[in-house]
Amino acid sequence: MSATMFLTPTMLSKPSNIPKTLNPSPQQTHPKSISSNKNQDFNPNPSNSATKTAPWMNTPLVLEPNQVIDFTKPKTRKKSPDNNKEEKTLTQKVSGGRGKHAMKKILYSIDNLEQESQEIEDTQKHMEFDLSLGKLGDNKLGDNNNNNDGKNKKWFGRKLPWEREERMVFRRMKREKTVTAADLSLDDGLLERLRGEARKMRSWVKVKKAGVNEGVVEQIRVIWNSDELAMVKFDVPLCRNMDRAREIVEIKTGGLVVWSKKDTLVIYRGCDYRDNKHVTGTLYQTVGGHDDKEETMPVQGSLFEREADRLLDGLGPRFIDWWMPKPLPVDADLLPEVVPGYKPPSRLYPLSGRSKLTDTELTHLRKQAYHLPTHFVLGRNRNLQGLAAAILKLWGKCHIAKIAVKWGIPNTSNEQMASELKLLTGGVLLLRNKFYIILYRGKDFLPPDVAELVINREAEIKSFQLQEETIRANRVEMFDYLDQPSSDVSTSTIGTLKEFQTIQSEHEGFKAGISEAEMRLEAEKLKLEKEIRIQEHKYLILKMKINKASKELAKLAWEPVEPNADREIITSEERESLRKMGLKMDSTLVLGRRGVFVGVIEGLHQHWKHREIVKVVTMQRVFSRILYTAQCLEAESDGVLVSIEKMKLGYAIIIYRGKNYKRPSKFSRNLLTKREALQKSLEMQRIGSLRFFANMRQQAIYELKCKLDALKNTDNDENKLAS
């Protein structure tokens, strides 16, 4: 009889239930005893059994004593002898945790590893690299005694993981602390006391965008009447350059900055506070400006500052409250509003070239202007003749004028400033924003000295021509008198200045002998006719672009599915309840510029998977387009349109899925994909903008033709009156 032993997890986890000594009974050891006790009741789990049997077994489990597992004897690991221990590497665990003993072991292993790597490098130097492939193959198939050499050979030509290439690392240089006037003039003990008191101050004077004006200075002096320290807190733009803010405060108040933190300065009134206009003379010198005003300028500076100061010398008084690094720009508000006898500069177009800037030249000039210092600071919108005269003077040395707009001055308009300066100077506007106005002098600009030379040269040439003409006429009259003494014969004009003027007038389309008013009228007609031809040509180009875009749009056209005639009908009460539910919903489906495409319909059915209604939000403004979109969604999704509601931003289209809703396995094939829908949206936008500009061109052509007809009518009326 075969028997099977079952070992349950409880037996393995709890060996204490098994007796330590197994004494098999004679009945279990001898098969004869089994047959003699068949009539007795069988207990599957006897108390003296070493192993428990399954409850469905009818006979006791018979096992030999040596076949029963004894859990009381744990397996003992054989200890390997000390001479067979493998050398520990850096990746193996080191006993001792983080103590000194473990650290010593790690350092010892690193030293051994360095010695081994040095030996490998020495062997590499003495190796012969002219081995053939056959020899290498033979070495690979060599004896097992050379296994260690093969292990070392695989590292030849490779870098160890901890070996890295040497790199040049430059550390960031610490910014040197600027030595202030307080550090130079005050004692260390007094300075420490003042700084300690400054850290405890909690009230300050606010400096706004306008800078350190007279009001701020007056508030500081009021505080100094009762206290020796005054705290000042700066707003933009001075808070971005606190070194410059410190200099401005010390210049205008005559105090000393003893403590600074972020956008805050603490000013000490000084020991001799009676002299309110005291200015330190060691670091600054006073330079006279226009209108008998004084300005402070640094004695020394970098090469860039000195060159910029030399460029700005003689243009006007400097702006002391400049919030950027030096050099200080010219204050344009202190320049005269009207300059008597001012005229825009004379310009002369180059013989071969365009006076208009190309895109590449414009980009290059803007990049150049970025690195230039600011030349002027402006806060006035009109009456800029003084600034225009200074710009013309600057253009003689630098071809770009950089003007900054002042902060904190109300009613400033950079657009009006730029248009006024462009009209006065005739320059090219490179950049205009709320911070800067940059003007280029132009390719046809002539400096005043050069323009004067050109005018003088033209006058000389004209005088020479007149002298030559008079001498020639005298000679012709003398020869005509000798050959033909008759005075009735007229002299010839061939080769004379008069002939040149006549040909020039005929070439320009004007007849000799007409009045100046008629010449102006003809010139105006020709100008209008030319403008009409230009506008008609541009209108023709726009029509061609519209036709091309229409053909592209026709390829992406799609016809929406007709609404199902047998669709579900809902009552007014159900519609109202569904409308309220839809308005309260937070989850929405936003309809973008692509409109209705496959992804929108999939999104609708995904919403209907979890709820009965869906709220689609669209940003369209025309209600007819919104209604068309709602009908398309209703037809393509086979739902029921509940309502179209006006929201704070856009419109909400609420669609009900229906009572017998079933998600379709396939969607309509005539719908556009995501890419096609975007292309269609772009083409529609292109056609809309082209039609807008075409209408503008058409209106401009109509207005020009009306002006031309009016000029022709006035010309006809004058001719009738003259006749």
Side-chain angles (χ1 to χ4, degrees), residues 548-560:
K548 184 179 179 181
S550 300
K551 290 179 182 179
E552 294 292 333
L553 186 61
K555 297 178 183 178
L556 301 171
W558 64 281
E559 296 180 0

Side-chain angles (χ1 to χ4, degrees), residues 159-174:
K159 289 184 179 180
L160 295 175
W162 54 86
E163 291 182 353
R164 295 181 181 178
E165 297 180 357
E166 295 183 358
R167 297 179 181 178
M168 296 295 294
V169 179
F170 297 97
R171 294 185 178 180
R172 183 183 296 177
M173 299 297 293
K174 291 185 178 180

Side-chain angles (χ1 to χ4, degrees), residues 244-496:
R244 182 62 195 151
R246 175 178 54 80
E247 293 177 4
I248 293 171
V249 167
E250 289 180 349
I251 290 169
K252 290 199 169 185
T253 61
L256 299 174
V257 175
V258 295
W259 185 77
S260 63
K261 184 178 181 182
K262 294 183 180 179
D263 57 348
T264 308
L265 297 177
V266 175
I267 313 161
Y268 175 54
R269 66 184 181 184
C271 301
D272 49 350
Y273 175 61
R274 295 179 182 178
D275 187 7
N276 294 332
K277 297 181 181 180
H278 173 70
V279 180
T280 56
T282 57
L283 298 177
Y284 298 93
Q285 65 177 356
T286 304
V287 180
H290 290 270
D291 300 334
D292 297 333
K293 294 187 178 180
E294 294 183 352
E295 53 182 346
T296 55
M297 293 289 294
V299 174
Q300 295 180 354
S302 62
L303 179 62
F304 177 77
E305 294 177 10
R306 294 198 299 271
E307 288 296 322
D309 289 333
R310 186 178 59 83
L311 184 67
L312 298 176
D313 284 344
L315 297 181
R318 302 298 180 86
F319 182 60
I320 303 301
D321 294 332
W322 178 236
W323 53 89
M324 297 291 285
K326 294 178 181 179
L328 302 180
V330 176
D331 193 352
D333 292 342
L334 299 180
L335 296 175
E337 296 182 358
V338 178
V339 177
Y342 174 79
K343 292 181 181 179
S346 58
R347 295 183 176 272
L348 183 64
Y349 291 96
L351 296 176
S352 60
R354 296 172 55 190
S355 62
K356 195 174 182 180
L357 292 175
T358 61
D359 294 341
T360 307
E361 292 172 345
L362 187 64
T363 306
H364 177 66
L365 290 172
R366 284 176 179 170
K367 289 181 179 179
Q368 279 188 343
Y370 179 78
H371 301 285
L372 290 177
T374 305
H375 303 125
F376 302 95
V377 181
L378 181 61
R380 193 170 59 215
N381 295 335
R382 301 180 64 184
N383 300 327
L384 304 176
Q385 286 189 3
L387 176 59
I391 289 173
L392 295 180
K393 192 175 180 181
L394 175 67
W395 277 347
K397 305 175 184 177
C398 181
H399 58 286
I400 294 175
K402 193 172 181 180
I403 306 163
V405 181
K406 287 185 179 180
W407 288 65
I409 297 179
N411 302 327
T412 54
S413 174
N414 56 78
E415 183 178 2
Q416 190 174 358
M417 293 176 185
S419 61
E420 185 81 11
L421 290 173
K422 189 176 178 182
L423 181 64
L424 291 172
T425 60
V428 181
L429 185 64
L430 297 180
L431 179 67
R432 176 186 64 82
N433 54 30
K434 63 180 181 179
F435 302 113
Y436 286 100
I437 298 171
I438 301 176
L439 290 171
Y440 173 57
R441 66 183 182 183
K443 296 179 181 179
D444 54 351
F445 173 76
L446 291 177
D449 300 338
V450 179
E452 188 176 355
L453 290 175
V454 170
I455 292 171
N456 295 334
R457 183 61 178 167
E458 288 179 352
E460 289 178 2
I461 292 172
K462 194 170 182 180
S463 64
F464 291 155
Q465 287 178 350
L466 290 174
Q467 291 177 7
E468 184 181 354
E469 186 67 20
T470 53
I471 293 171
R472 187 177 183 280
N474 294 332
R475 296 286 180 151
V476 168
E477 288 179 358
M478 184 179 67
F479 283 110
D480 289 343
Y481 178 76
L482 293 174
D483 296 338
Q484 297 178 1
S486 176
S487 61
D488 296 335
V489 180
S490 61
T491 60
S492 176
T493 60
I494 297 173
T496 61

Side-chain angles (χ1 to χ4, degrees), residues 194 197-198 201 223-224 227-231 258 266-268:
L194 294 174
E197 294 179 0
M201 297 181 67
I223 295 173
W224 278 349
D227 195 357
E228 60 182 357
L229 295 177
M231 181 179 283
V258 295
V266 175
I267 313 161
Y268 175 54

Side-chain angles (χ1 to χ4, degrees), residues 501-531:
Q501 292 175 351
T502 305
I503 293 172
Q504 189 176 13
S505 63
E506 289 177 357
H507 178 70
E508 292 178 356
F510 302 118
K511 296 180 181 180
I514 60 177
S515 62
E516 187 177 354
E518 291 177 353
M519 290 176 62
R520 290 179 180 176
L521 190 61
E522 287 292 331
E524 190 69 23
K525 286 181 184 179
L526 293 174
K527 186 178 179 181
L528 288 174
E529 289 174 357
K530 183 180 179 181
E531 187 67 25

Side-chain angles (χ1 to χ4, degrees), residues 69-256:
I69 299 174
D70 189 4
F71 296 98
T72 60
K73 295 180 180 181
K75 293 182 179 181
T76 58
R77 297 179 181 178
K78 295 181 179 180
K79 295 183 179 180
S80 58
D82 296 337
N83 53 2
N84 294 331
K85 284 185 179 180
E86 297 180 357
E87 294 181 358
K88 293 183 179 180
T89 61
L90 289 175
T91 57
Q92 291 180 349
K93 185 177 179 181
V94 179
S95 62
R98 300 181 181 178
K100 294 182 180 179
H101 185 64
M103 295 298 106
K104 288 181 180 179
K105 285 186 177 182
I106 292 172
L107 293 174
Y108 179 73
S109 59
I110 290 172
D111 294 337
N112 292 338
L113 195 58
E114 290 178 353
Q115 292 177 3
E116 291 177 3
S117 61
Q118 186 66 29
E119 292 176 0
I120 291 172
E121 290 179 0
D122 295 339
T123 54
Q124 284 180 351
K125 291 180 181 178
H126 299 289
M127 280 185 63
E128 294 181 359
F129 291 95
D130 57 345
L131 295 175
S132 62
L133 293 174
K135 292 181 180 181
L136 290 172
D138 294 336
N139 291 336
K140 290 180 182 178
L141 299 174
D143 297 332
N144 296 329
N145 297 330
N146 297 328
N147 288 338
N148 295 331
D149 297 339
K151 290 180 182 178
N152 294 333
K153 286 180 182 179
K154 70 179 181 179
W155 293 101
F156 291 164
R158 297 185 183 180
K159 289 184 179 180
L160 295 175
W162 54 86
E163 291 182 353
R164 295 181 181 178
E165 297 180 357
E166 295 183 358
R167 297 179 181 178
M168 296 295 294
V169 179
F170 297 97
R171 294 185 178 180
R172 183 183 296 177
M173 299 297 293
K174 291 185 178 180
R175 183 182 176 184
E176 296 183 0
K177 185 179 179 182
T178 56
V179 180
T180 61
D183 296 332
L184 297 174
S185 59
L186 298 180
D187 297 335
D188 294 340
L190 177 61
L191 195 58
E192 279 298 323
R193 181 182 67 80
L194 294 174
R195 286 175 178 173
E197 294 179 0
R199 293 187 187 97
K200 302 176 184 178
M201 297 181 67
R202 294 296 179 269
S203 59
W204 59 78
V205 177
K206 186 70 174 179
V207 179
K208 299 182 180 179
K209 294 181 180 180
V212 185
N213 50 19
E214 295 180 359
V216 174
V217 175
E218 190 64 29
Q219 291 182 21
I220 293 172
R221 288 176 178 169
V222 168
I223 295 173
W224 278 349
N225 291 331
S226 58
D227 195 357
E228 60 182 357
L229 295 177
M231 181 179 283
V232 181
K233 194 168 186 178
F234 291 88
D235 197 357
V236 289
L238 274 175
C239 65
R240 300 173 182 172
N241 190 357
M242 291 304 294
D243 291 338
R244 182 62 195 151
R246 175 178 54 80
E247 293 177 4
I248 293 171
V249 167
E250 289 180 349
I251 290 169
K252 290 199 169 185
T253 61
L256 299 174

Side-chain angles (χ1 to χ4, degrees), residues 531-547:
E531 187 67 25
I532 288 170
R533 288 195 300 270
I534 292 172
Q535 294 293 336
E536 286 178 349
H537 178 67
K538 291 181 178 180
Y539 177 69
L540 181 62
I541 293 173
L542 287 173
K543 286 185 68 176
M544 293 172 62
K545 290 183 178 180
I546 290 171
N547 294 333

